């Protein structure tokens, strides 16, 4: 079975500093991995996806993630946080038709 | 722009009322749509998979008679919460995935799901 573990439930950064949101996955075969962002009372927006092409995946809004098979990780990064990045972030693995969600990481950005 | 539209965004109603939520794929066909429920500060929980022209597939523990799903066309799925009670209050989100033919060499299962903006349901 495919699953993901988000290692931090909350991350706080200052505006302009780097962002790192950690995700480890468990999969019996090459997974399809996604990062989604959710702003309050909104649905989920796709940030980026990994589907066995390039291991470094660039997404929207300056985010990127690196697939590391040896570490079973798919961490999300951004060089410089913006106030508008404050939201809930979900690491997700595709399991056939369904998606398996991590528990989410709440990103707080302080001025 | 949004590729999945969900309506309504907010519903407040009395206990015992039935509430219908619509999920539409705006610029693509989706034979499969998904309904999720999200409790405050928690992740999304898959409730059911909506299949166009056939019965929905419900996850374990989800009451079929409470949460009625209809997927009558390739662009519309509806979730009806029947005889809603306060414990049904939650944030409901739908999603859809583009069908084969749009992908080129990518497989269907690698395609991301596109989510609606969710429906906040409050039962008084």
């Amino acid at each position: 079975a495919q699953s993901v573990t988000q290692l931090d439930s909350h991350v706080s950064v200052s505006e302009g500093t780097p962002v790192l949101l950690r995700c480890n996955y468990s999969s019996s075969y090459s997974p399809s991995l996604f990062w989604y962002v959710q702003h309050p009372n909104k649905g989920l927006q796709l940030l980026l996806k990994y589907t066995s092409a390039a291991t470094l995946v660039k997404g929207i809004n300056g985010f990127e993630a690196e697939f590391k098979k040896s570490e079973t990780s798919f961490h999300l990064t951004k060089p410089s946080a913006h106030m508008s990045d404050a939201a809930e972030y979900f690491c997700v693995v595709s399991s056939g038709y369904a998606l398996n969600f991590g528990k989410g990481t709440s990103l707080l950005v302080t001025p | 722009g949004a590729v999945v539209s969900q309506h309504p965004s907010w519903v407040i109603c009395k206990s015992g009322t039935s509430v219908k939520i619509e999920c539409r794929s705006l610029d693509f066909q989706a034979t499969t749509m998904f309904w999720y429920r999200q409790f405050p500060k928690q992740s999304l929980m898959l409730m059911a998979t909506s299949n166009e022209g056939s019965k929905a597939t419900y996850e374990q523990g989800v009451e079929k008679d409470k949460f009625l799903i209809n997927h009558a066309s390739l662009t519309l799925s509806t979730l009806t919460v029947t005889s809603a009670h306060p414990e049904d209050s939650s944030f409901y989100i739908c999603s859809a995935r583009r069908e084969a033919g749009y992908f080129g060499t990518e497989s269907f299962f690698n395609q991301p799901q596109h989510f609606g903006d969710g429906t906040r349901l409050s039962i008084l």
Side-chain angles (χ1 to χ4, degrees):
Chain A
Q2 280 55 249
S3 65
V4 290
T5 301
Q6 291 183 246
L7 301 175
D8 307 291
S9 58
H10 296 85
V11 170
S12 181
V13 300
S14 299
E15 188 176 21
T17 64
V19 175
L20 170 64
L21 305 182
R22 299 183 296 165
C23 174
N24 285 351
Y25 70 89
S26 173
S27 177
S28 54
Y29 51 84
S30 183
S32 294
L33 294 161
F34 309 86
W35 275 99
Y36 284 87
V37 62
Q38 184 182 32
H39 292 276
N41 293 310
K42 290 289 187 181
L44 276 67
Q45 180 184 22
L46 178 68
L47 287 176
L48 49 81
K49 67 175 183 178
Y50 167 76
T51 57
S52 75
T55 56
L56 182 61
V57 182
K58 294 188 182 298
I60 62 171
N61 301 335
F63 285 95
E64 62 181 39
E66 186 171 7
F67 176 76
K68 291 187 176 180
K69 186 175 181 178
S70 60
E71 299 177 9
T72 63
S73 69
F74 189 58
H75 301 335
L76 181 71
T77 61
K78 182 173 181 177
S80 176
H82 192 272
M83 296 297 291
S84 61
D85 294 328
E88 191 80 14
Y89 291 79
F90 293 97
C91 181
V92 182
V93 63
S94 177
S95 176
Y97 276 98
L99 296 180
N100 293 330
F101 286 80
K103 292 189 175 183
T105 298
S106 181
L107 177 63
L108 174 66
V109 182
T110 58
Chain B
V3 295
V4 174
S5 173
Q6 189 173 339
H7 178 81
S9 54
W10 291 84
V11 179
I12 302 174
C13 57
K14 295 181 179 181
S15 184
T17 306
S18 292
V19 178
K20 180 184 284 188
I21 304 170
E22 292 187 348
C23 181
R24 294 180 183 274
S25 56
L26 298 182
D27 62 351
F28 64 97
Q29 293 181 337
T31 57
T32 305
M33 293 185 176
F34 304 88
W35 287 97
Y36 296 86
R37 182 172 181 176
Q38 186 178 32
F39 291 101
K41 304 297 183 183
Q42 293 190 27
S43 189
L44 278 69
M45 179 190 76
L46 179 65
M47 298 175 64
T49 302
S50 173
N51 305 299
E52 189 267 336
S54 65
K55 292 182 179 181
T57 304
Y58 290 83
E59 296 300 301
Q60 191 173 7
V62 177
E63 299 178 59
K64 301 178 183 181
D65 296 333
K66 162 68 76 174
F67 300 100
L68 299 180
I69 291 174
N70 184 276
H71 194 153
S73 78
L74 287 172
T75 59
L76 173 64
S77 175
T78 61
L79 169 68
T80 301
V81 184
T82 62
S83 187
H85 289 91
E87 59 266 28
D88 299 322
S89 298
S90 193
F91 193 55
Y92 293 87
I93 307 176
C94 72
S95 72
R97 183 158 47 190
R98 294 179 188 272
E99 296 306 303
Y102 292 92
F103 309 145
T105 57
E106 284 203 86
S107 78
F108 169 79
F109 300 108
N110 290 340
Q111 295 303 305
Q113 291 185 17
H114 300 279
F115 288 82
D117 275 347
T119 298
R120 174 72 59 194
L121 176 61
S122 296
I123 309 299
L124 305 177

